[in-house]
Amino acid sequence: MIKKILILLKIGRALAKSSTLDYFGELYKPNFLIRYSIKIFGFSSFKKKSLDSKSVGQRLVSALKELGPTFIKLGQFLGTRPDIVGKDLAKELQSLQDDLPPFDMEIAKKSISNEIGEEKYKQIENLSKPIAAASIAQVHFATIEGKQYAIKVLRPGIEKKFNEELEALMLFASIVETILPKTKRLKLIEVVHLLKEITAIEMDLRFEGSAGSELKKNTKSDPKFKVPDINWDFTSKRVLTSEKVEGISIKELDKINELKIDKKELAKNIIQNFLRQAVGDGFFHGDMHQGNLFVDSDGNIIPVDFGIMGRLDKDNRKYLAEILYGFIQRDYEKVADVHFIAGLVPLDQSKDAFSQALRSIGEPIFGQSIKNISAGKLLAQLFEITEQFNMATQPQLLLLQKTMVVVEGVARTLDEDANIWEISKPVLEGWLKKEVGPEAKINQAIKTTSQVMDRLPELPSMMDKASKALELLAAGTVASNNEMAKKFQFEKLKIKNQQNKIIIFILLVVISLLVLFN
């Protein structure tokens, strides 16, 4: 507990020095007692300083860098949560770079050897100096059995440091929710818990390897998208070995031009492949910035770094596809219906007022030039009205929205006139037709019939039990005491349920067959 308190004091001091406590004070307007406590907690006078959003963002970025790796991750995560820190500050935090000085080469060698074993380590040749270093790990190139690989190694002691600081952040979130009840809607404790889950996955490189493998499996038939192989023989909890990317960074436009790669086609493929992942598979790369995307001479997009991945269940995928497609069609009533049916907007809210709010988002966007139309920004504006209509925060959709903004930004660097909506439309249409259209209904009927047919062998046994129970009832063998009477009532209820199950099974078979053959 003492360590947690010391970390909290460290956080308060850094935020006070950067003057960002003033910003949050203005945003949430705590009472005098709380403001005075923050003043003491931060060891700083609560002087009124400029609350210009850009300068506040820069100061907060500096404070988080000073606090270290855990807080850099926190800042990046808060960059996806404009509902907590405000739109402008969230935008500033999205620029927070996760780069730190590399750790010593000898420590890296020792770590690799300890993790994969000395015999395997001897097979590694030409281990390079770090070619990239971030808050959690650094990357080296090497040769194994004549093939080029990238080897990612965790920083020493990083797991313990993250766990201690995240526990302190959890305490901090609890304190904030206690003293500022209106922040409970923001689910700060849940946010820190989610951040803890994400970093726990990032600090077990086997999870990152499996994420890369899953993405490769999901996208193996997707055009122009190529995920590197994982070498599991040289991968462990603290070391990840993957196929070295043979390509150029997607930000090197001159080299892309030299290879005569069609940049318009490349921009289209980036957006469509991202949507196939998010809407089609429900599993998407959550950090698709330029540094994590490469392109080969054939125009294939090659992603790296699978530490941050997003996952959407089928309901969320349907919600996402239908609202985006609804906006494309400018059918705001339909989009409003989706929100109410999905339970994202409470039933006591006005559907007409919500539809009008959606129109206020959509119409100005479609009235702009093509280069200013953004699905990611539209989603950001959509999530901004959450408080007005008492919608619960959806962290998984916020990660998707942030990634979509990044993906669109990458696409626009390749083709500034890319029409995001026209590019997105065929992917969304195709998925909705498959999942909601007539084909989906037939598939569901087939699945239902199959499930019913699987249970048919049980029907004779169920009928026999029901028949015996009815014989007992006909014989009138009912005890007079209360306990036996209750048991009899319970048995009658069981018999009735069994009879109902039989009827339901038969009806399902009949209905399913009618759907299939009519």
Side-chain angles (χ1 to χ4, degrees), residues 22-308:
D22 296 316
Y23 176 82
F24 290 105
E26 288 295 317
L27 197 62
Y28 290 106
K29 303 189 185 306
N31 60 41
F32 172 77
L33 182 61
I34 294 170
R35 289 175 68 87
Y36 191 74
S37 298
I38 293 172
K39 170 185 168 182
I40 297 170
F41 183 72
F43 304 110
S44 174
S45 62
F46 228 108
K47 292 181 181 178
K48 195 76 172 175
K49 296 182 181 179
S50 169
L51 295 179
D52 176 75
S53 60
K54 186 175 181 181
S55 60
V56 167
Q58 289 173 339
R59 293 198 299 270
L60 182 56
V61 165
S62 297
L64 293 172
K65 282 184 176 179
E66 180 184 328
L67 285 166
T70 309
F71 299 92
I72 291 173
K73 285 289 177 190
L74 174 65
Q76 291 177 322
F77 189 75
L78 289 175
T80 70
R81 298 298 304 269
D83 56 322
I84 294 177
V85 296
K87 179 182 176 182
D88 294 327
L89 188 55
K91 188 175 181 181
E92 289 290 325
L93 288 172
Q94 287 172 14
S95 67
L96 186 61
Q97 294 299 307
D98 189 9
D99 52 357
L100 291 175
F103 55 89
D104 188 80
M105 188 72 181
E106 290 305 312
I107 295 175
K109 289 178 180 179
K110 185 177 179 181
S111 182
I112 296 170
S113 179
N114 289 342
E115 283 293 309
I116 65 173
E118 191 175 341
E119 289 302 312
K120 285 185 179 178
Y121 179 72
K122 289 176 181 177
Q123 298 178 49
I124 297 175
E125 301 175 336
N126 306 320
L127 187 69
S128 72
K129 291 182 179 180
I131 54 102
S135 58
I136 288 178
Q138 65 188 35
V139 179
H140 305 257
F141 287 148
T143 305
I144 303 173
E145 297 179 343
K147 189 174 179 179
Q148 295 293 306
Y149 287 96
I151 300 179
K152 187 173 187 176
V153 191
L154 288 185
R155 287 182 176 273
I158 193 67
E159 298 96 330
K160 183 181 178 183
K161 184 175 179 62
F162 261 80
N163 284 333
E164 289 175 351
E165 293 181 340
L166 284 170
E167 285 297 324
L169 279 172
M170 188 71 77
L171 177 59
F172 181 70
S174 301
I175 292 169
V176 170
E177 286 197 357
T178 301
I179 63 177
L180 293 173
K182 72 176 183 178
T183 62
K184 287 183 180 179
R185 185 191 70 85
L186 303 176
K187 301 181 181 178
L188 298 181
I189 294 174
E190 186 179 310
V191 167
V192 178
H193 183 69
L194 183 60
L195 179 62
K196 190 172 183 178
E197 286 183 345
I198 290 171
T199 53
I201 290 172
E202 284 192 87
M203 285 185 287
D204 187 336
L205 296 180
R206 293 170 299 187
F207 283 111
E208 182 176 341
S210 66
S213 292
E214 183 176 351
L215 188 65
K216 185 177 182 68
K217 174 179 171 291
N218 290 347
T219 60
K220 63 182 178 182
S221 60
D222 292 355
K224 298 295 182 180
F225 199 79
K226 185 179 175 184
V227 179
D229 284 322
I230 305 298
N231 186 331
W232 288 104
D233 287 337
F234 290 82
T235 293
S236 69
K237 183 175 181 179
R238 307 191 84 254
V239 172
L240 172 65
T241 302
S242 58
E243 177 186 7
K244 182 183 176 183
V245 171
E246 297 297 338
I248 57 174
S249 172
I250 215 155
K251 60 187 173 185
E252 296 184 271
L253 298 181
D254 291 340
K255 291 185 179 179
I256 290 174
N257 288 332
E258 286 175 16
L259 291 172
K260 296 183 180 179
I261 295 170
D262 188 335
K263 288 189 292 186
K264 286 183 180 291
E265 188 70 12
L266 187 58
K268 183 188 84 170
N269 288 333
I270 288 171
I271 293 167
Q272 289 191 344
N273 275 295
F274 171 70
L275 284 173
R276 286 189 193 100
Q277 293 171 37
V279 177
D281 305 321
F283 186 66
F284 61 92
H285 195 303
D287 200 18
M288 288 181 68
H289 60 74
Q290 288 180 320
N292 283 341
L293 294 174
F294 293 80
V295 58
D296 66 16
S297 56
D298 294 324
N300 293 307
I301 300 157
I302 308 171
V304 298
D305 193 349
F306 310 107
I308 301 175

Side-chain angles (χ1 to χ4, degrees), residues 332-333 336 350-362 389:
Y332 305 111
E333 289 78 13
S350 166
K351 189 180 292 186
D352 290 336
F354 186 64
S355 177
Q356 182 181 356
L358 295 173
R359 186 178 296 275
S360 74
I361 295 170
F389 289 92

Side-chain angles (χ1 to χ4, degrees), residues 273-507:
N273 275 295
F274 171 70
L275 284 173
R276 286 189 193 100
Q277 293 171 37
V279 177
D281 305 321
F283 186 66
F284 61 92
H285 195 303
D287 200 18
M288 288 181 68
H289 60 74
Q290 288 180 320
N292 283 341
L293 294 174
F294 293 80
V295 58
D296 66 16
S297 56
D298 294 324
N300 293 307
I301 300 157
I302 308 171
V304 298
D305 193 349
F306 310 107
I308 301 175
M309 304 295 289
R311 198 179 288 277
L312 300 174
D313 61 27
K314 194 163 185 178
D315 287 340
N316 269 313
R317 286 149 60 194
K318 184 179 176 185
Y319 161 75
L320 174 68
E322 287 195 335
I323 63 168
L324 287 176
Y325 191 68
F327 272 110
I328 288 174
Q329 301 295 96
R330 297 164 89 163
D331 187 349
Y332 305 111
E333 289 78 13
K334 170 68 173 177
V335 178
D337 283 339
V338 171
H339 279 79
F340 278 86
I341 291 169
L344 295 167
V345 177
L347 293 176
D348 61 355
Q349 298 292 319
S350 166
K351 189 180 292 186
D352 290 336
F354 186 64
S355 177
Q356 182 181 356
L358 295 173
R359 186 178 296 275
S360 74
I361 295 170
E363 290 303 301
I365 288 177
F366 286 102
Q368 297 178 36
S369 64
I370 289 174
K371 66 178 64 179
N372 293 326
I373 294 177
S374 164
K377 288 180 180 176
L378 181 144
L379 285 177
Q381 291 178 344
L382 177 63
F383 299 147
E384 278 179 37
I385 66 172
T386 58
E387 187 171 3
Q388 182 183 347
F389 289 92
N390 200 26
M391 285 170 59
T393 301
Q394 302 289 318
Q396 70 278 16
L397 290 175
L398 288 169
L399 174 61
L400 179 134
Q401 179 269 321
K402 172 251 183 185
T403 309
M404 189 175 287
V405 169
V406 173
V407 168
E408 289 178 341
V410 173
R412 287 263 162 77
T413 62
L414 297 163
D415 176 16
E416 63 179 15
D417 294 321
N419 188 326
I420 305 300
W421 294 107
E422 286 301 314
I423 292 171
S424 303
K425 189 175 181 180
V427 177
L428 297 172
E429 272 184 342
W431 189 83
L432 286 171
K433 183 179 179 181
K434 178 184 173 185
E435 297 296 328
V436 185
E439 181 185 345
K441 291 178 181 177
I442 291 172
N443 289 336
Q444 183 58 42
I446 292 170
K447 183 179 178 182
T448 301
T449 303
S450 175
Q451 290 171 344
V452 172
M453 297 300 285
D454 287 343
R455 298 294 304 274
L456 282 178
E458 299 177 22
L459 287 178
S461 173
M462 292 174 66
M463 292 291 287
D464 186 52
K465 288 179 181 177
S467 177
K468 287 181 179 177
L470 289 170
E471 285 176 13
L472 289 173
L473 281 174
T477 54
V478 181
S480 58
N481 64 69
N482 288 337
E483 185 179 345
M484 289 303 293
K486 287 178 183 177
K487 186 176 181 182
F488 171 71
Q489 293 296 330
F490 180 69
E491 289 297 327
K492 279 207 301 183
L493 186 62
K494 281 173 66 178
I495 292 165
K496 187 173 182 179
N497 285 339
Q498 287 174 333
Q499 290 172 325
N500 287 340
K501 285 179 182 178
I502 294 166
I503 294 168
I504 290 168
F505 275 131
I506 294 169
L507 284 174

